[in-house]
Amino acid sequence: MKNTNSCLLLWLCLLLYAVGSYAQSSESRWEEWIEDLAHEEESGMDLESLIEELAFLREEPVDLNRATRDQLESLPFLTPLQVENILAYIYMHGPMQTLYELQLVEEMDWQTLERLLPFVTLRPVVPENRFPAVKQLCSYGKHQLITRLDIPFYRRKGYEKNYLGTPYYHALRYEFRYKDRLHVGMTAEKDAGEPMFALHNKQGYDHYSFYFLVKDIGPLHTLAVGNYRIGFGEGLILGSGFLTGKSATLSGPDLRTAGIRKHASTDEYNYLRGVAASINWKKWTLTAFGSHRSLDAIMQGDTITSVQKTGLHRTEKEAERKGAAQMIAAGGNLRYTGSHYRIGATGLFYRFDRPYIHTLPQYARYNLVGQQCYNAGIDYAVRYHRCFLSGESAMGKRGYAFLHHLQYTSGSSLRVRLTHRYYAHDYWAWFSRAFAEGSQAQNENGWYVATELSPWRGIRWFASADLFSFPWWKYRISKPSQGMDLWTRLTWEPARQMSMYANYRYKRKERDVTGTKGAVILPTHHHRWRYRWNYQPLSFLGFRTTADYNRFHSQGEEVAEGYQVTQMIRGELLGSAFKWEVQGSYFHTDDHDSRVYISEKNLLYAFYTPSFSGRGWRWGVNLRWDFRKWGMVMAKWGQTRYSDREVIGSGNDQINGSVKSDLQLLMRLSW
């Protein structure tokens, strides 16, 4: 008996040691995952919203023992099959006693588990069907105040006579929340160059956003008042999901039925303003919404010729466009959810206060024209054993769109996905965010196949191929065209403290030859290689090395090459109350086509992945101090130094000099 107890004690100690190391690496794992997604400049990721929601989940983790399907689907690391298996495991075996019981869930792999741990928890199962009383809200609700200030140590040409305000960026955010059931908040922002308490911004900040969101009051599933986002199906009509492009993993976020979500970010374009509500009745969910908001637009008489998405109001012309047009939108969704399937129908109508007639070139002739438009469609999702099939079919004022996914999972070692999309050249959906090679779900037809294989623990191989065509012209392509996108990545994790991957991507597209006005069109070939090495010898010290090489060429033209090397070191002091990160990069490219992308950890709710062309250095320092339980301050210093130019940028953004330095400050108070 004594030997048995000793063995059990030894086994428990080893388990606790593994769990401790495991938990320590979890944060760096999901941050690395976010940074990797941000690097793919064509992924279409809404990173600010993704990071914001993950930050909220860090503070208010999902209780697995009480989690609904919608709550589990809000965790972007889980596949649809893993969501199903977690729900089935708890139904069959009762509440989990420890988070590491997740290892017993079928299809759960270590990589997903490491990313998932910071965002889930276990609490005693206590019924909470009634909405809490005011006293309980005041006692257990949480307040959060965030302010950010960006200070540039350079002067752009626009400040000489065109920009109306100061060169500082400032944002203020406040939120009161009670768990995930009540959110009330405000976001205010002033971009660099915009006036404050002056000229067209006498009310202070240039942009204000207010929101109120409440969940689970009897049959009322969600109610949003103010600014909100909404998405259904695969995003062909209304899309507010995470992933709309391609990434080097099949265990990342799928575009799922997002429903109603608060809009708390500083994005001044992608949101609705009004009221939205969803009601649950048995297996049915009915959602209805209405919106009335202003848009920045270029006007020509009583006609809208262009809608501006930047949210910048620095010059007199930009200020004149602010709120120049109005849009009303209304629609709804009816969804039925069974045990292994889901089907829904979505309808949307939107109208401008005056005709919209764009003046874009020939390639955009099938874009939206008129004063009003509508979209309608049906979406579905079905799981049969290890197969998951989902899709959406939609129609608009003109044209149709179809998007379908088929995914097969064999344990945690093999995943295969097949995607087909057909977006007619004349299909238009203003609020769509769907899987596409281009930026819109329009004028595209393609097949995408991807596989992810983990034959042994610590080794993962990903490969994908996307064959696409454009039935009508595209920007810089004056004829119907086609192309391909091939991608492969091999990841090796020899130890828990070390990982590395090698990545290769090849993209072939057609493009007008410069100077021929579209008379000559030739294919372009873009090769991209990347190697990354991560090493964390201690829980409070980590290293990361990244090397990229690009090669771009077209028939009859010289080959353009570009490369960059980045070294990052991160550490923690004072029991992780003080965190620091230092990163330095050297880049060298021949032109803009061979440009490189360098990702940096930025301030809270933000990620910075700029592109660089030419020759130079980029370095930055990121500091974070968490004091007591209610305060946190962050500071980031970044500098870019070019060795091949004396002027950076052009037009109003021109900087006379070869050095560009910025200081960013952020403070968060929580109580």
Side-chain angles (χ1 to χ4, degrees):
M1 179 65 69
K2 184 176 180 180
N3 292 336
T4 302
N5 291 338
S6 300
C7 291
L8 288 174
L9 181 62
L10 177 61
W11 177 85
L12 181 60
C13 291
L14 292 173
L15 177 63
L16 290 175
Y17 175 78
V19 166
S21 303
Y22 188 77
Q24 289 170 356
S25 63
S26 293
E27 181 173 356
S28 59
R29 296 281 180 175
W30 73 265
E31 288 182 350
E32 173 81 11
W33 176 76
I34 289 286
E35 190 275 339
D36 194 35
L37 290 176
H39 174 73
E40 301 305 328
E41 73 281 3
E42 296 171 311
S43 66
M45 288 291 290
D46 180 11
L47 280 176
E48 184 177 0
S49 295
L50 175 58
I51 295 172
E52 178 190 353
E53 293 194 16
L54 290 177
F56 168 75
L57 289 172
R58 284 290 308 276
E59 300 178 11
E60 293 288 343
V62 174
D63 183 3
L64 290 177
N65 286 334
R66 298 178 57 195
T68 64
R69 184 187 303 273
D70 288 342
Q71 287 176 317
L72 290 178
E73 287 185 346
S74 70
L75 298 167
F77 314 108
L78 294 177
T79 66
L81 186 56
Q82 288 171 334
V83 169
E84 292 274 2
N85 289 341
I86 291 175
L87 293 173
Y89 180 88
I90 295 175
Y91 176 79
M92 295 174 61
H93 302 284
M96 292 185 181
Q97 303 302 313
T98 171
L99 284 178
Y100 299 97
E101 208 172 326
L102 282 168
Q103 299 174 65
L104 304 178
V105 175
E106 191 176 0
E107 315 293 347
M108 184 63 67
D109 57 278
W110 277 86
Q111 183 183 49
T112 301
L113 188 55
E114 286 184 334
R115 294 169 178 167
L116 185 64
L117 279 179
F119 308 102
V120 294
T121 188
L122 297 175
R123 300 188 184 98
V125 179
V126 178
E128 191 181 7
N129 296 325
R130 297 180 57 187
F131 194 75
V134 175
K135 183 178 180 180
Q136 186 174 354
L137 291 175
C138 296
S139 300
Y140 298 100
K142 295 184 179 180
H143 303 262
Q144 181 172 265
L145 179 67
I146 300 174
T147 181
R148 172 179 166 178
L149 175 66
D150 294 2
I151 305 173
F153 290 86
Y154 51 85
R155 187 170 181 82
R156 298 190 185 275
K157 186 178 180 180
Y159 292 102
E160 296 177 5
K161 58 180 180 179
N162 292 329
Y163 290 168
L164 304 174
T166 63
Y168 308 113
Y169 170 92
H170 189 259
L172 182 68
R173 304 174 61 162
Y174 166 79
E175 181 180 63
F176 170 81
R177 68 174 183 265
Y178 175 80
K179 298 183 179 179
D180 192 34
R181 301 189 68 180
L182 176 65
H183 297 261
V184 183
M186 179 273 294
T187 301
E189 181 193 45
K190 183 200 87 71
D191 290 300
E194 295 175 342
M196 192 170 183
F197 291 106
L199 300 176
H200 59 278
N201 282 334
K202 291 183 174 59
Q203 73 278 13
Y205 289 91
D206 177 75
H207 173 71
Y208 288 95
S209 174
F210 301 91
Y211 60 90
F212 170 88
L213 187 140
V214 64
K215 292 184 177 181
D216 301 327
I217 305 179
L220 180 64
H221 180 254
T222 308
L223 171 65
V225 179
N227 289 5
Y228 62 91
R229 294 189 179 191
I230 194 166
F232 301 107
E234 301 292 333
L236 292 183
I237 299 175
L238 286 160
S240 62
F242 296 130
L243 184 60
T244 59
K246 292 166 277 189
S247 62
T249 179
L250 292 182
S251 58
D254 297 279
L255 185 60
R256 309 170 189 175
T257 301
I260 303 170
R261 298 161 56 199
K262 66 179 183 179
H263 175 70
S265 75
T266 55
D267 188 337
E268 299 182 33
Y269 177 75
N270 293 299
Y271 66 89
L272 295 170
R273 174 173 291 173
V275 180
S278 63
I279 298 174
N280 285 343
W281 182 71
K282 296 184 178 180
K283 295 184 178 182
W284 294 88
T285 302
L286 174 64
T287 303
F289 64 92
S291 169
H292 180 278
R293 58 160 300 190
S294 59
L295 299 171
D296 295 354
I298 298 177
M299 310 297 295
Q300 196 172 80
D302 289 332
T303 301
I304 305 170
T305 60
S306 178
V307 172
Q308 306 295 290
K309 303 180 181 180
T310 62
L312 298 175
H313 310 111
R314 304 163 298 180
T315 66
E316 291 185 3
K317 285 187 176 180
E318 290 176 346
E320 291 174 359
R321 299 167 184 168
K322 183 178 180 180
Q326 304 291 317
M327 172 194 278
I328 61 171
N333 173 268
L334 180 62
R335 182 180 63 178
Y336 180 85
T337 304
S339 57
H340 299 293
Y341 65 95
R342 181 190 72 234
I343 186 168
T346 305
L348 170 66
F349 172 84
Y350 47 101
R351 176 184 174 90
F352 301 96
D353 62 336
R354 60 198 71 190
Y356 181 92
I357 304 176
H358 66 79
T359 56
L360 295 173
Q362 178 75 357
Y363 72 86
R365 66 176 296 183
Y366 292 106
N367 285 10
L368 175 65
V369 174
Q371 192 167 353
Q372 60 189 34
C373 190
Y374 66 87
N375 297 101
I378 297 176
D379 64 271
Y380 69 93
V382 181
R383 184 178 72 85
Y384 181 73
H385 296 296
R386 297 181 180 275
C387 293
F388 186 80
L389 177 65
S390 64
E392 184 174 12
S393 301
M395 60 176 291
K397 192 175 180 180
R398 295 181 302 183
Y400 298 86
F402 306 95
L403 175 60
H404 303 281
H405 306 278
L406 174 61
Q407 180 160 318
Y408 172 77
T409 303
S410 176
S412 60
S413 60
L414 175 65
R415 294 189 179 102
V416 180
R417 174 180 294 173
L418 177 65
T419 296
H420 174 255
R421 76 264 192 196
Y422 170 77
Y423 309 144
H425 63 281
D426 55 351
Y427 175 76
W428 183 265
W430 189 277
F431 300 97
S432 68
R433 282 178 60 85
F435 184 99
E437 170 64 23
S439 58
Q440 279 288 135
Q442 180 194 25
N443 185 34
E444 186 170 322
N445 184 20
W447 288 90
Y448 171 79
V449 60
T451 183
E452 192 172 39
L453 179 64
S454 300
W456 303 283
R457 183 174 176 180
I459 293 182
R460 182 173 63 89
W461 176 68
F462 171 87
S464 69
D466 188 25
L467 306 178
F468 50 85
S469 62
F470 307 121
W472 181 245
W473 299 9
K474 297 281 288 184
Y475 174 66
R476 299 185 69 181
I477 312 176
S478 301
K479 72 166 189 178
S481 60
Q482 59 186 8
M484 68 172 61
D485 186 0
L486 307 179
W487 197 347
T488 185
R489 173 180 293 185
L490 181 63
T491 303
W492 182 37
E493 189 175 339
R496 186 159 306 279
Q497 300 83 10
M498 183 186 300
S499 66
M500 65 188 74
Y501 71 73
N503 187 99
Y504 169 70
R505 190 173 186 180
Y506 166 73
K507 181 171 287 191
R508 176 190 178 276
K509 298 178 77 171
E510 295 175 300
R511 191 167 77 178
D512 295 347
V513 175
T514 305
T516 66
K517 296 182 179 181
V520 180
I521 300 174
L522 294 174
T524 62
H525 307 272
H526 196 177
H527 304 264
R528 290 188 289 176
W529 289 266
R530 161 174 276 208
Y531 173 77
R532 168 164 289 180
W533 175 73
N534 288 284
Y535 181 52
Q536 188 168 344
L538 302 169
S539 62
F540 54 85
L541 184 65
F543 302 89
R544 184 178 71 200
T545 304
T546 306
D548 288 327
Y549 173 71
N550 292 342
R551 181 182 175 91
F552 184 93
H553 66 95
S554 182
Q555 183 177 334
E557 298 182 4
E558 293 186 5
V559 174
E561 297 178 309
Y563 65 88
Q564 69 91 12
V565 179
T566 298
Q567 179 62 54
M568 184 273 288
I569 305 174
R570 68 158 64 97
E572 298 179 2
L573 298 172
L574 304 176
S576 77
F578 184 80
K579 300 178 181 179
W580 56 270
E581 185 173 298
V582 179
Q583 178 168 302
S585 305
Y586 175 74
F587 57 90
H588 185 295
T589 76
D590 293 335
D591 56 21
H592 180 72
D593 286 326
S594 58
R595 64 192 179 277
V596 293
Y597 288 80
I598 300 175
S599 299
E600 297 178 2
K601 187 176 181 180
N602 211 344
L603 301 181
L604 201 64
Y605 301 157
F607 217 95
Y608 189 51
T609 311
S611 64
F612 295 92
S613 58
R615 297 190 302 275
W617 295 84
R618 169 71 185 178
W619 69 279
V621 180
N622 196 309
L623 306 175
R624 171 171 174 166
W625 177 37
D626 292 270
F627 53 92
R628 300 185 183 275
K629 293 183 179 181
W630 49 267
M632 183 268 285
V633 293
M634 295 185 71
K636 179 187 176 183
W637 169 269
Q639 184 180 88
T640 305
R641 184 178 295 270
Y642 290 90
S643 58
D644 63 341
R645 68 194 67 179
E646 295 300 325
V647 175
I648 302 175
S650 60
N652 285 329
D653 290 334
Q654 179 177 309
I655 301 171
N656 293 324
S658 60
V659 179
K660 179 176 177 285
S661 304
D662 296 89
L663 174 65
Q664 298 174 299
L665 304 171
L666 182 142
M667 180 176 66
R668 182 181 67 182
L669 303 177
S670 304
W671 66 97

